[in-house]
Amino acid sequence: MALSAACAASASAQSVTVGRSVLFSPGGVQAGPPGAPVVARYISETGVRFTFDRSQPVPLMKFDRSPEVWVLRAQPAPRGDILYLNDLGEPILRANRTGGLTVFTFDRPEGLLVALSGAGQTLRMTPLGPQQLLERLAQASTRATRAAQRLIPFEADASPASSALTADAAMVAAEAILRLTRLQDGREILMTVKRVRLVEGRQARAELRRGVIEITVAPGQGLSGRPSSDRILAAAGIR
């Protein structure tokens, strides 16, 4: 199914039963304060808010002000802590042995301590039909076009099995374009971008070639089967 889009017009927590392997990180480190829900919301003193979802085989997180869901990988760190890394191997969260959490952001790479603010909703993809995918591509194109202040079309070769992941990847690509506009080097690179193309493959990838940002999604891998905005920026030469 080949789809394309150019610029277009613009709860309560679920009950989840989990075992120790989900409640705790490798080495027995609790990922959050004692008694924290497996899907929890956190806030820093500076107002950074996010959801941290440990109810699924792969930990997920999402900042309130971004559409992107981050797929994390747990790795032991010094002093018995656990780092939660993005798909570039860079830290997004750090959990200490007492359950304290630190979040690392682009603006605060040294980290911010966060506090539990309550239960959250599970982060998951919703199945989409062809028309819904086309609408998501149009939304992503609109967001990227506004950020770049010129038309950036989004195109996709997708199957029913990859439609939800392709739609999610399109929104992540639009987020990466928005982030490019905030960086001096990024704005220069963005001037060369003509369009975004999404295709299926065996492994998640991101490339920038001849003015085309090509995103490869691997539908059998869930949210892990598409690159993060950080990986898209890295593919564009920004890190």
Side-chain angles (χ1 to χ4, degrees):
M1 174 174 62
L3 298 172
S4 65
C7 182
S10 293
S12 61
Q14 298 182 10
S15 175
V16 181
T17 301
V18 296
R20 178 180 174 86
S21 62
V22 176
L23 283 169
F24 291 84
S25 303
V29 176
Q30 182 169 314
V38 292
V39 184
R41 290 181 50 76
Y42 293 88
I43 183 172
S44 75
E45 289 186 359
T46 61
V48 175
R49 292 178 169 86
F50 64 90
T51 299
F52 185 29
D53 184 351
R54 298 175 289 123
S55 69
Q56 304 177 58
V58 178
L60 305 172
M61 75 167 291
K62 179 184 178 298
F63 293 101
D64 281 13
R65 296 183 179 180
S66 170
E68 180 169 8
V69 175
W70 293 86
V71 180
L72 306 179
R73 173 173 58 86
Q75 174 179 293
R79 301 190 302 274
D81 295 354
I82 292 295
L83 287 175
Y84 289 88
L85 311 176
N86 64 11
D87 56 354
L88 289 177
E90 299 171 338
I92 301 293
L93 290 174
R94 186 180 190 121
N96 64 32
R97 293 198 66 82
T98 62
L101 279 182
T102 300
V103 63
F104 302 94
T105 68
F106 181 81
D107 295 331
R108 295 292 294 270
E110 72 279 10
L112 291 166
L113 294 175
V114 298
L116 177 69
S117 65
Q121 291 186 318
T122 302
L123 302 174
R124 63 176 74 247
M125 292 187 297
T126 303
L128 300 176
Q131 182 59 37
Q132 292 171 305
L133 174 54
L134 185 60
E135 291 171 358
R136 296 291 181 86
L137 292 174
Q139 291 169 7
S141 176
T142 297
R143 191 162 186 247
T145 293
R146 287 175 176 170
Q149 298 184 342
R150 60 182 175 81
L151 178 62
I152 298 185
F154 277 54
E155 304 172 351
D157 289 330
S159 66
S162 69
S163 60
L165 186 60
T166 299
D168 186 82
M171 297 305 294
V172 171
E175 177 72 8
I177 288 173
L178 179 62
R179 291 177 63 185
L180 282 174
T181 66
R182 298 169 180 163
L183 304 168
Q184 181 61 43
D185 292 345
R187 290 193 292 271
E188 294 176 3
I189 292 171
L190 185 55
M191 291 177 62
T192 70
V193 175
K194 300 175 182 176
R195 61 192 173 99
V196 176
R197 179 171 172 77
L198 300 107
V199 299
E200 288 187 39
R202 295 183 178 180
Q203 186 174 357
R205 296 182 61 187
E207 295 180 287
L208 174 56
R209 294 187 299 179
R210 299 178 181 177
V212 178
I213 296 177
E214 183 164 291
I215 307 297
T216 302
V217 302
Q221 300 174 16
L223 282 170
S224 299
R226 54 93 172 126
S228 69
S229 61
D230 276 353
R231 182 167 289 279
I232 295 171
L233 292 182
I238 300 291
R239 286 315 301 153

